[in-house]
Amino acid sequence: MTPLWVLFLALIAATHGETPGCKIRVTSKALELGKVMRLGFQMFLEHELETITIPDLRGSEGPFSYNITEVKVTELQLVQSELYFQPTHDLILNISNASISLRFRRQLLYWFLYDGGFVDASAEGVSIHTALQLARDPGGRIKVSNVSCVASVSKMQAAFGGTFKEVYDFLSSFIISAGKGIMMCLMLICFDAQICPVLHHAGLVLLNSLLDTVPVRSAVDKHVGIDYSLLSDPVTSTSNLDMEFRGAFFPLAEANTSFPNRAVEPQLQEEDRMVYVAFSEFFFDSAMESYFRAGVLRLELIGDKVPKDLDMVLRATFFGSIVLLSPTVIDAPLKLELQVLAPPRCTIKPSGTTISVTASLVIALAPSDQPEVQLSSMTMDARLSAKMSLRGKALQAQMDLRRFRIYSNQSALESLALIPLQAPLKTLLQIAVMPLLNDRSKRGVQIPLPEGIDFVKEVVTNQAGFLTIGADLHFTKGLREVIEKNRPAGDLAMVDAVPPPASSPTQ
Ligand SMILES: *[C@@H]1O[C@H](CO)[C@@H](O)[C@H](O)[C@H]1NC(C)=O
Ligand SMILES: *[C@@H]1O[C@H](CO)[C@@H](O)[C@H](O)[C@H]1NC(C)=O
Ligand SMILES: *[C@@H]1O[C@H](CO)[C@@H](O)[C@H](O)[C@H]1NC(C)=O
Ligand SMILES: *[C@@H]1O[C@H](CO)[C@@H](O)[C@H](O)[C@H]1NC(C)=O
Ligand SMILES: *[C@@H]1O[C@H](CO)[C@@H](O)[C@H](O)[C@H]1NC(C)=O
Ligand SMILES: *[C@@H]1O[C@H](CO)[C@@H](O)[C@H](O)[C@H]1NC(C)=O
């Protein structure tokens, strides 16, 4: 009888929608320890902010007129920045006490006195608070769905050197206040207003182009594909970012196939490493079912592909049947046809991961010019142990044959007759089939990470019904490099300037 709690869990799963086959947790360690990431982010922002274009300022007040043009950000220093998760969907970037150096051209006219030249100015105490809201887009991909930003500059300083220094001293307080007014404008209206659009663009366009490199549905090889669609919006707590993925393979020829997930839902509780990935039994089952449906779980060995020893043992075993055949067939090459009969099943337990396979083995003589003659057909049950590991971004499995049994599904007597074949067939599997399997699984399947990021120092842990991999992140490429490479065509790393204020900025 089904225990009540199983029904209860099934009910929870049913009301929760689809069960994830794969989960990923990024902990705040990735943000704290990952100085590289913060640094990369800073460098990236510095680069983006340096592309700010501040509109020209032109205005006049009575006899005084001015032009402020060619404003350029010459340097940007982000000394303090914090990157953290905030419930329930946000990644926060808080920059405080940054400084920005500017250079601009001034043209001032007061009655008949003209003054021109460049001014070096700096904005001190720049603080920028940005919240990137993370969500699942309709295609199942993680996206920055909204960016909110508050920026302020607490102090602006300018060095008005140059030819007309005395003029400033000479001129009335009016021009001084006008000068202050210009600085105020640069600081408040123009400058603050420029920072947020840059961050908005950085978040919505550039980070999203980085996130576009995370594979959602992609081909693994020429037979199967993997679906890493997010099932819901990513969820943040103060310490983690958690993502739930479908984590299901599908046969490429039937891309619409979806296997029902009745496996245990993986649970992620740890927070010590930068990142955790969990895969349920379903993830592996869907892989094997996809290969099964794609018709690749079969193998044919004929003639000299059959090891000599085995050939001899088989001919000896079936001697009784062979001698009755016509002489033209007796010397024909042997053919072994191995075919998996049902999708193999994976079982994950704390003690290890095993895969159970049931296959049929047909042994026949295959003369080149005549129909083949079947000598025997048997069923084999095999149990493989699988050891999962990560290499870079690829999840790999190394399989070993553990248990193996052949029997005839026709009669117990025939099964008895097959006992002598047990050992040589096991050897065949070990030398001819397992390397093939491992060769395929060695290529591995990519886990959904953006380009330029790999796992290092990973630890694989088996749990009941799922396995988890804890790892740290390693940046194989600079964030800037990846973003530049994936920058959408036509994106000029610039934000359109806001139009200059219409009113005169004096006082
Ligand atoms: C941003 O960081 C500064 C300095 O660490 C801090 O004073 C400020 O409260 C932070 N702002 C927010 C909104 O967390
Ligand atoms: C801000 O930075 C300036 C120099 O860049 C430094 O003197 C000052 O102490 C900093 N203030 C805070 C609150 O960190
Ligand atoms: C400001 O620029 C305009 C257009 O370039 C020019 O006509 C005007 O004379 C300039 N004003 C000053 C004070 O240089
Ligand atoms: C985006 O963020 C802004 C500012 O926080 C907020 O007013 C707006 O409602 C948000 N939009 C969406 C679609 O969440
Ligand atoms: C997949 O489904 C879509 C619509 O549900 C259908 O139009 C398409 O023909 C299907 N493709 C295959 C290969 O079954
Ligand atoms: C025995 O197995 C073969 C394939 O190995 C299958 O075709 C046949 O139907 C099976 N017979 C019975 C009685 O299950």
Side-chain angles (χ1 to χ4, degrees):
M1 211 181 89
T2 321
L4 210 59
W5 64 269
V6 172
L7 286 176
F8 181 60
L9 284 183
L11 201 69
I12 291 179
T15 53
H16 250 82
E18 196 176 333
T19 311
C22 168
K23 285 190 184 179
I24 296 189
R25 158 171 291 184
V26 180
T27 71
S28 47
K29 289 248 161 45
L31 307 177
E32 283 167 30
L33 297 179
K35 285 236 167 58
V36 199
M37 183 161 168
R38 230 152 36 108
L39 228 64
F41 204 64
Q42 277 199 11
M43 277 169 48
F44 163 66
L45 268 183
E46 285 174 16
H47 176 75
E48 289 302 311
L49 285 172
E50 280 167 14
T51 64
I52 282 182
T53 49
I54 294 178
D56 295 349
L57 282 175
R58 297 176 201 285
S60 60
E61 189 74 35
F64 176 69
S65 68
Y66 61 88
N67 289 339
I68 301 289
T69 54
E70 299 173 37
V71 186
K72 284 258 173 328
V73 174
T74 52
E75 206 197 342
L76 187 129
Q77 280 190 307
L78 302 181
V79 187
Q80 274 173 289
S81 73
E82 282 177 286
L83 196 58
Y84 56 89
F85 297 123
Q86 177 181 286
T88 48
H89 302 293
D90 291 323
L91 176 63
I92 309 288
L93 172 69
N94 183 22
I95 295 170
S96 50
N97 205 21
S99 67
I100 301 175
S101 305
L102 302 170
R103 188 177 169 81
F104 57 85
R105 177 190 284 282
R106 71 176 191 272
Q107 291 172 299
L108 308 175
L109 189 66
Y110 184 65
W111 294 111
F112 52 89
L113 285 175
Y114 175 81
D115 170 47
F118 280 92
V119 177
D120 288 312
S122 67
E124 306 285 338
V126 177
S127 58
I128 308 169
H129 186 83
T130 313
L132 304 175
Q133 188 181 322
L134 302 171
R136 165 194 186 279
D137 80 356
R141 184 187 294 281
I142 181 172
K143 279 276 145 140
V144 176
S145 60
N146 198 0
V147 177
S148 66
C149 171
V150 181
S152 63
V153 176
S154 66
K155 202 165 78 187
M156 195 106 184
Q157 285 179 331
F160 271 83
T163 45
F164 276 79
K165 198 164 188 314
E166 312 81 50
V167 175
Y168 293 112
D169 297 337
F170 165 77
L171 287 173
S172 67
S173 64
F174 174 71
I175 194 167
I176 293 170
S177 62
K180 273 194 188 145
I182 293 166
M183 297 308 290
M184 284 292 285
C185 167
L186 267 180
M187 193 168 110
L188 298 175
I189 308 166
C190 315
F191 204 75
D192 291 4
Q194 290 297 317
I195 292 175
C196 282
V198 164
L199 281 160
H200 206 262
H201 177 257
L204 283 182
V205 179
L206 303 178
L207 277 185
N208 277 339
S209 70
L210 176 70
L211 293 173
D212 279 342
T213 66
V214 180
V216 173
R217 268 174 81 89
S218 54
V220 174
D221 53 27
K222 59 180 195 287
H223 308 293
V224 307
I226 176 80
D227 182 342
Y228 280 123
S229 302
L230 275 177
L231 296 180
S232 51
D233 286 340
V235 175
T236 51
S237 65
T238 50
S239 44
N240 306 308
L241 161 69
D242 285 329
M243 291 171 282
E244 301 188 340
F245 300 92
R246 177 166 294 132
F249 288 74
F250 57 89
L252 286 180
E254 312 161 57
N256 284 355
T257 310
S258 66
F259 306 118
N261 181 351
R262 296 194 194 87
V264 173
E265 178 171 339
Q267 303 298 330
L268 287 174
Q269 258 121 25
E270 303 90 330
E271 300 182 351
D272 302 331
R273 308 293 298 276
M274 291 189 196
V275 65
Y276 290 92
V277 191
F279 298 101
S280 78
E281 283 171 358
F282 169 75
F283 178 85
F284 301 103
D285 282 348
S286 72
M288 291 180 291
E289 184 146 4
S290 299
Y291 279 116
F292 179 75
R293 295 242 194 136
V296 291
L297 298 184
R298 53 189 303 155
L299 181 72
E300 209 178 86
L301 297 176
I302 187 161
D304 46 5
K305 289 278 185 302
V306 180
K308 272 274 162 308
D309 298 355
L310 183 65
D311 192 292
M312 273 167 60
V313 173
L314 289 175
R315 281 178 198 273
T317 308
F318 300 112
F319 184 73
S321 329
I322 294 175
V323 289
L324 301 179
L325 298 171
S326 105
T328 53
V329 177
I330 289 177
D331 291 327
L334 267 181
K335 184 179 129 184
L336 303 187
E337 206 181 323
L338 194 62
Q339 181 167 2
V340 173
L341 293 174
R345 287 281 161 244
C346 169
T347 310
I348 304 176
K349 288 186 188 159
S351 55
T353 302
T354 53
I355 295 167
S356 313
V357 193
T358 301
S360 71
L361 175 66
V362 173
I363 300 167
L365 285 171
S368 51
D369 50 354
Q370 290 176 56
E372 58 184 56
V373 181
Q374 182 174 324
L375 296 176
S376 177
S377 140
M378 61 193 84
T379 307
M380 54 168 63
D381 282 343
R383 176 128 15 120
L384 317 178
S385 71
K387 200 164 177 308
M388 311 298 176
S389 59
L390 262 190
R391 217 167 121 208
K393 234 179 299 203
L395 177 68
Q396 304 175 327
Q398 167 76 33
M399 287 176 274
D400 268 319
L401 184 61
R402 286 292 170 214
R403 281 203 214 149
F404 168 78
R405 175 172 89 96
I406 46 173
Y407 56 92
S408 159
N409 61 359
Q410 257 108 65
S411 76
L413 199 66
E414 207 180 320
S415 291
L416 220 57
L418 293 175
I419 289 176
L421 290 181
Q422 180 94 14
L425 284 176
K426 185 170 181 181
T427 310
L428 172 78
L429 286 188
Q430 269 159 342
I431 62 170
V433 181
M434 295 310 298
L436 270 176
L437 272 182
N438 281 325
D439 208 43
R440 175 160 287 153
S441 59
K442 209 160 84 190
R443 271 172 271 153
V445 56
Q446 205 191 339
I447 50 178
L449 280 182
E451 206 179 309
I453 302 176
D454 275 350
F455 281 5
V456 290
K457 292 187 271 177
E458 65 278 354
V459 176
V460 182
T461 316
N462 274 34
Q463 319 260 7
F466 60 97
L467 60 87
T468 59
I469 301 169
D472 289 336
L473 296 172
H474 171 72
F475 291 78
T476 52
K477 286 183 191 165
L479 198 57
R480 270 273 302 284
E481 194 185 326
V482 177
I483 288 177
E484 289 305 327
K485 192 182 135 206
N486 294 288
R487 193 182 270 277
D491 185 281
L492 298 171
M494 269 184 208
V495 177
D496 289 338
V498 291
S503 68
S504 167
T506 39
Q507 301 248 290

